[in-house]
Amino acid sequence: MVIEKVELRYVSLPLRTPFETSTARETHKDCILVTVTSEGQRGWGEAPVMLEPLYSAETVETAWHVLRDFLIPLAKVSPEPAAFAKACSIFKGQQMAKAGLEAALWDLQCERRGASLSSLLGGTRKEVEVGVSVGLEPEVAEILRKVREYRERGYQRIKLKIRPGQDRDLLAGFRSEHDDLPLQADANCAYGAADIPHLMSFDEFDMVLLEQPFPGEDLVSHIALQKKMNTSICLDESVSSVSLARQAIALKACRNINIKQARIGGLSAAVEVHDLCRDQGIDVWCGGLLETGIGRFHNLALASLPGFCLPGDISESGRYFEQDILQEPIVLNENRNIDVPDFAGGVDRLVCVESLKRYTQRLDVF
């Protein structure tokens, strides 16, 4: 296979409502879409970076630079997705940039082979269970109102964003209204080691898990909390590679891992982490980064692998966008799950050219 052309697009889609975590407030989904072309066929990928280095060290500008100057030249030499993933490991970090281009190569592979991405990755599910992530608001009542709406829509698990000063009252309010609904809480690194006694008190809320209470590099505090807490600790920002997943499991820093293929460095690495966790008895689920329909399409294929035993953060595209990049929105099916795309080929046939033009802020063609 010869890569004849690569296109980078910086797109910015307005969100229906702002989405706030302990570290950031987003009003738009900014990301880089990567398109690779070979013999008239195109593959699409998404690097869901932010404008500011608030979730990871990567931004739109840094990822653009790394893709342009290092990864695109490498893809010309190693165009097969697995070979590309192995070759680009010589470059430190840059996980989302790597993931965006690798996803495009996988998507192109689907076109060339006439196969679905789920089948190429080893997926076994035709539909996946999904939950919804609810961002922070100034008032607990507004968050609980949104929770009621999502439950009526049919979401089977709720994840609440929390931070110091906005945690116990919110969790208690949720449980007073929904004593039977699976609950997760996500701190996005907002707490410190001194907060361990406070976090231990969350056991009373009967949560599925508590996600990433401490900064990503602080495995020591996660180990200490998991030893004392009945609730399962889930790692997100701490696991940015296969080797870090292996370390976290060996050190008993968690009982769950949120697998985001963009954070880990691509679909190949995500499958490897999935396999590792399955072998070690660690429950995993597929996280999201407010991706457009392109990234969401690829996340669904990943979540179809057999080890994903908890509802993912994939959600309907209408949860975030008035108008997505895809022609048809991703929606809940009659079972309140989301169908895994199973047609032969990649996402190219679904891309809405009008939306692409409308939301593209910058385009470079190589």
Side-chain angles (χ1 to χ4, degrees):
M1 178 171 65
V2 177
I3 302 300
E4 299 158 355
K5 181 171 68 173
V6 178
E7 297 167 276
L8 299 182
R9 288 178 174 84
Y10 162 40
V11 300
S12 182
L13 276 68
L15 298 175
R16 281 183 177 271
T17 58
F19 188 80
E20 186 169 348
T21 70
S22 64
T23 58
R25 178 181 172 84
E26 295 180 79
T27 59
H28 289 70
K29 177 56 204 174
D30 298 284
C31 67
I32 297 173
L33 299 181
V34 185
T35 313
V36 294
T37 302
S38 175
E39 298 180 356
Q41 295 176 312
R42 294 193 299 181
W44 292 79
E46 178 173 341
V49 286
M50 300 170 66
L51 286 176
E52 300 174 284
L54 296 173
Y55 174 77
S56 76
E58 290 180 90
T59 68
V60 169
E61 287 301 318
T62 65
W64 198 281
H65 154 60
V66 170
L67 281 159
R68 178 193 64 210
D69 295 334
F70 302 104
L71 300 182
I72 290 174
L74 192 61
K76 182 179 179 180
V77 178
S78 301
E80 299 295 330
F84 170 78
K86 183 176 181 180
C88 70
S89 64
I90 64 171
F91 299 124
K92 309 303 180 186
Q94 321 306 324
Q95 305 295 60
M96 293 192 192
K98 293 174 180 176
L101 182 47
E102 188 196 336
L105 295 173
W106 275 110
D107 202 57
L108 178 61
Q109 195 83 295
C110 293
E111 291 288 333
R112 290 174 57 82
R113 293 191 183 182
S116 69
L117 180 58
S118 172
S119 66
L120 292 184
L121 295 179
T124 58
R125 293 190 176 93
K126 300 302 182 183
E127 60 181 15
V128 297
E129 295 183 1
V130 294
V132 65
S133 180
V134 184
L136 288 162
E137 299 283 351
E139 300 295 332
V140 169
E142 176 60 17
I143 299 173
L144 295 180
R145 182 191 67 78
K146 289 186 174 182
V147 169
R148 289 191 290 271
E149 288 183 357
Y150 293 135
R151 181 161 199 181
E152 290 174 3
R153 284 286 302 154
Y155 284 105
Q156 304 169 49
R157 183 271 293 156
I158 300 293
K159 183 170 84 171
L160 297 177
K161 296 291 186 177
I162 61 171
R163 62 186 170 197
Q166 284 186 289
D167 48 30
R168 280 192 58 86
D169 287 349
L170 174 57
L171 298 174
F174 175 95
R175 270 291 169 242
S176 69
E177 293 188 20
H178 311 282
D179 61 358
D180 61 334
L181 187 60
L183 170 65
Q184 297 175 198
D186 183 5
N188 288 112
C189 311
Y191 297 85
D195 297 308
I196 286 179
H198 175 66
L199 295 170
M200 288 170 58
S201 74
F202 294 0
D203 275 340
E204 70 177 275
F205 301 119
D206 187 28
M207 297 190 298
V208 176
L209 56 85
L210 171 62
E211 185 176 352
Q212 198 67 47
F214 308 115
E217 65 274 11
D218 187 4
L219 282 183
V220 171
S221 293
H222 286 102
I223 294 167
L225 179 61
Q226 187 64 96
K227 284 180 179 178
K228 300 176 180 179
M229 194 173 192
N230 293 327
T231 302
S232 295
I233 301 300
C234 174
L235 293 183
D236 178 352
E237 287 92 335
S238 291
V239 180
S240 57
S241 67
V242 177
S243 62
L244 286 173
R246 189 174 294 112
Q247 289 179 42
I249 294 169
L251 294 170
K252 294 181 169 47
C254 63
R255 296 182 193 140
N256 305 127
I257 288 179
N258 172 355
I259 298 181
K260 295 176 180 173
Q261 57 94 9
R263 186 197 71 236
I264 293 174
L267 288 164
S268 296
V271 172
E272 193 171 348
V273 172
H274 162 275
D275 294 347
L276 169 68
C277 289
R278 198 177 185 202
D279 290 344
Q280 296 295 320
I282 299 294
D283 290 342
V284 299
W285 51 286
C286 185
L289 289 165
L290 306 184
E291 287 95 343
T292 73
I294 291 173
R296 205 168 297 268
F297 181 93
H298 295 149
N299 286 346
L300 283 167
L302 177 64
S304 72
L305 269 66
F308 285 93
C309 55
L310 298 173
D313 270 352
I314 300 173
S315 307
E316 301 171 289
S317 50
R319 152 79 176 88
Y320 303 106
F321 310 116
E322 291 283 357
Q323 185 176 9
D324 194 8
I325 295 296
L326 300 188
Q327 297 175 31
E328 297 293 333
I330 293 171
V331 298
L332 295 178
N333 63 23
E334 60 183 11
N335 299 322
R336 302 308 183 191
N337 299 325
I338 295 183
D339 292 327
V340 177
D342 62 354
F343 57 81
V347 75
D348 187 53
R349 72 195 67 187
L350 304 179
V351 173
C352 177
V353 176
E354 178 185 343
S355 294
L356 199 63
K357 290 180 178 178
R358 180 178 181 182
Y359 296 119
T360 295
Q361 309 295 313
R362 178 182 174 187
L363 169 64
D364 275 358
V365 181
F366 305 88

